[in-house]
Amino acid sequence: MSKQNTSTDTQPRQKDGGQVMEKLVSLCKRRGFVYQSSEIYGGLNGAWDYGPLGVELLKNIKDAWWKEMTYRKNIEGIDAAILMHPRVWEASGHVENFTDPMVDCKQCKARYRVDVLLESFSDKALKKLADSFFENLEKTTTPSLRDRLVHDIFDEMEKISTVYPDLQFQPVSDSVEAKLSHLKSPTMRRLREAPYAIKEFLSSPRIFDPIIELGLVQCPQCGNKGTFTPARKFNLMFKTFVGPVEDSSAVVYLRPETAQGIFVNFLNVQAASRQKLPFGIAQIGKAFRNEINTKNFLFRTREFEQMEMQFFVKPGSDDKWFEYWREQRWNWFIKYGMPSDRLQWHQHPPDKLAHYAKNAYDIEYKFPFGWGEIEGIHNRTDFDLSRHQEYSGKNMQYFDEEAKEKYTPFIIETSAGASRSFMAFLVNAYAEEEAPSAEGKMETRVVMKFHPKLAPIKAAIFPLVNRDGMPEIAEKIETELRPHLRVFYDDSGAVGRRYRRQDEIGTPYCITIDSETLQNQTVTVRERDSMVQERVAIDKLLSYLTTKLM
Ligand code: GAP
């Protein structure tokens, strides 16, 4: 649970990033990967439906994760309910902390998350805002308010300078006068001219709240200044009621993460599976967050799926396991086709760690709109089990038979978004290439270079022509392969166009039945990326394909 926007997913767009996203969204709809939810009613923001190919791709990603994580002797799987006892979310800290600061424009009713509002400002506008804040401090605020703000400014500066040493911040003496005169110093100029630091500085509630109160912020939608409400905390959990009475005693939440279903079942699973520490529990499931701003297609949605694993370890061994899982999870993305130069680590700076975390790294993927988190690896310490013990009154400790001692395990969490990984795999697969057509003319082919294991359709079967017994052979091949593999039969149009249609959805193999088939019972198998064709005997086709797809 990290509501602070610590990731670098807001970096400037790549030059053609918008175009790639537009093409992908259009391909997804046209070919049946993803549709807007409730489209015929104008759509519902932040919710998407997976079509026939999308559901296959998503399932293949989840299967690949499930196999990777649970086909180990020290990891068990579970599937917990989405609705949980409301005390779970008090214990977890979500009722209190799972919030975003948000402002409303009183004039045009636009609603903004504070950090997103500041993101919409140019670097020049941010600098101007900081300048006018510092000027107004001296001019218009009452002395006592001014003194408090001056201290807050320097406290914030000190905090930010631990993350950005290039600001060369020097502590300033405690007197307000010294600090006021320091507002014009080179350090402060450096802050105002460093977009990354100024945004962070301005979005701190201690700084942003008075800026709003002073009426210095202009609404990007209606252009009015001074029309924003004070920043309010907005809880991102969806609330609903169990039973017919809609009062506070019946409140339940749609889970905002799958992790809590694992923590509360720690002892159940441990007892049933007789696992000894260290061991993990994995789960894939839906999570819901009432995000104020959904964005970038599937990147930030209100309903999404997570693939989480909580690994319970003896305190003291947590750093070692943290590093182990970091490596494992990075390698998983590489194994399924992500090049390492499109992945990077982002460590959460100490002052941005979630309240439960001792250490946290995100794996970020380079999307067309910038770097964005796809998975978080967190050292959650003994926070979760201790809190559930405190709130439920049940002992959540583990008895270590070897050491003959009881303790509260530490937890290393690997938390990936299935929907976000889906989008990263989609973006990663998308390619436009020059390739010769059947007539030898060069043309652009769109090809989704999915890892064969993730590809929604594994093989397409084409009779070259609809006569001479070719369709009958093709249908027989289809009947033989279908129980083992997701295959697609296509007999319409020129074979070159059929190849292109399969390239566009990432089918790794296309099988063509041609005149040679009639003579020697072999077919051509064309590989999607190299476009190389091989002749394979029909009776060897299944083992040929399954070996390739292993
Ligand atoms: N249990 C820890 C946890 O939930 P998180 O960083 O809030 O941590 C983990 O979320 C992952 O869930 C993220 O890396 C991302 O892939 C996915 N995720 C989070 N919020 C999302 C959203 N609104 N839409 C899609 N995926 C989201």
Side-chain angles (χ1 to χ4, degrees), residues 155-313:
D155 277 359
E156 269 317 306
M157 272 297 294
E158 204 162 344
K159 248 169 60 188
I160 290 174
S161 66
T162 59
V163 186
Y164 304 112
D166 52 314
L167 292 176
Q168 297 164 29
F169 177 78
Q170 301 292 333
V172 182
S173 97
D174 250 2
S175 96
V176 172
E177 280 63 36
K179 284 181 169 161
L180 267 176
S181 72
H182 205 74
L183 289 178
K184 301 186 185 81
S185 70
T187 311
M188 289 316 229
R189 205 168 328 114
R190 271 196 297 276
L191 166 78
R192 281 179 291 201
E193 281 163 12
Y196 49 91
I198 191 77
K199 212 178 283 174
E200 205 159 316
F201 173 75
L202 291 172
S203 61
S204 149
R206 290 205 289 185
I207 306 298
F208 193 75
D209 290 353
I211 288 183
I212 289 282
E213 271 167 49
L214 291 167
L216 303 177
V217 185
Q218 188 175 17
C219 173
Q221 182 158 296
C222 67
N224 283 299
K225 221 173 182 180
T227 51
F228 278 122
T229 59
R232 285 182 290 137
K233 277 186 168 184
F234 172 72
N235 195 296
L236 300 189
M237 284 195 292
F238 279 102
K239 235 185 215 178
T240 186
F241 302 92
V242 280
V245 184
E246 295 193 4
D247 68 15
S248 58
S249 65
V251 165
V252 287
Y253 301 97
L254 300 189
R255 68 179 176 201
E257 62 173 7
T258 57
Q260 300 300 326
I262 296 180
F263 303 143
V264 299
N265 278 301
F266 162 62
L267 288 177
N268 284 338
V269 174
Q270 195 268 323
S273 61
R274 298 196 291 129
Q275 287 277 6
K276 292 188 171 53
L277 253 57
F279 81 97
I281 305 178
Q283 173 169 220
I284 297 177
K286 289 261 182 176
F288 302 84
R289 297 183 187 180
N290 198 1
E291 302 281 3
I292 300 164
N293 290 291
T294 55
K295 68 171 182 181
N296 290 328
F297 195 29
L298 305 168
F299 185 80
R300 182 168 294 137
T301 55
R302 299 201 166 100
E303 177 177 343
F304 56 97
E305 265 184 294
Q306 287 187 314
M307 310 186 286
E308 295 199 300
M309 191 280 301
Q310 312 295 332
F311 201 70
F312 301 87
V313 304

Side-chain angles (χ1 to χ4, degrees), residues 463-472 489-493 498:
L464 187 63
V465 289
N466 278 321
R467 56 185 153 74
D468 303 337
M470 290 186 208
E472 288 74 12
Y489 185 93
D490 189 1
D491 62 0
S492 72
R498 286 183 253 171

Side-chain angles (χ1 to χ4, degrees), residues 13-27:
R13 276 161 163 257
Q14 287 173 2
K15 229 164 142 199
D16 64 346
Q19 248 189 350
V20 171
M21 283 313 298
E22 262 170 46
K23 286 180 186 173
L24 257 181
V25 173
S26 143
L27 185 152

Side-chain angles (χ1 to χ4, degrees), residues 1-3 98 256-259 289 291 298-306 308 310 356 362 373-376 378 380 413 415-421:
M1 176 183 34
S2 59
K3 282 325 297 163
F98 198 51
E257 62 173 7
T258 57
R289 297 183 187 180
E291 302 281 3
L298 305 168
F299 185 80
R300 182 168 294 137
T301 55
R302 299 201 166 100
E303 177 177 343
F304 56 97
E305 265 184 294
Q306 287 187 314
E308 295 199 300
Q310 312 295 332
Y356 53 74
D362 295 335
E373 172 191 344
I374 49 177
E375 169 155 356
H378 312 129
R380 303 184 63 117
E413 168 181 72
S415 175
S419 345
R420 224 180 249 184
S421 302

Side-chain angles (χ1 to χ4, degrees), residues 13-67:
R13 276 161 163 257
Q14 287 173 2
K15 229 164 142 199
D16 64 346
Q19 248 189 350
V20 171
M21 283 313 298
E22 262 170 46
K23 286 180 186 173
L24 257 181
V25 173
S26 143
L27 185 152
C28 278
K29 178 171 176 192
R30 192 162 33 82
R31 300 306 309 268
F33 282 92
V34 182
Y35 312 117
Q36 196 183 12
S37 160
S38 328
E39 191 185 0
I40 59 168
Y41 290 97
L44 178 71
N45 217 348
W48 296 89
D49 298 339
Y50 291 83
L53 294 183
V55 76
E56 282 295 325
L57 174 61
L58 183 62
K59 192 174 170 304
N60 293 343
I61 293 170
K62 291 189 287 186
D63 284 351
W65 184 88
W66 189 255
K67 279 192 182 149

Side-chain angles (χ1 to χ4, degrees), residues 328-368:
Q328 293 283 306
R329 295 306 307 146
W330 175 276
N331 290 344
W332 185 76
F333 286 105
I334 301 283
K335 178 168 156 190
Y336 286 99
M338 299 214 167
S340 54
D341 62 354
R342 293 193 75 85
L343 291 175
Q344 71 175 16
W345 286 110
H346 169 72
Q347 184 178 19
H348 292 215
D351 63 318
K352 290 287 174 69
L353 282 172
H355 59 277
Y356 53 74
K358 173 176 158 189
N359 201 355
Y361 277 84
D362 295 335
I363 299 177
E364 294 186 334
Y365 179 76
K366 195 174 189 183
F367 289 98

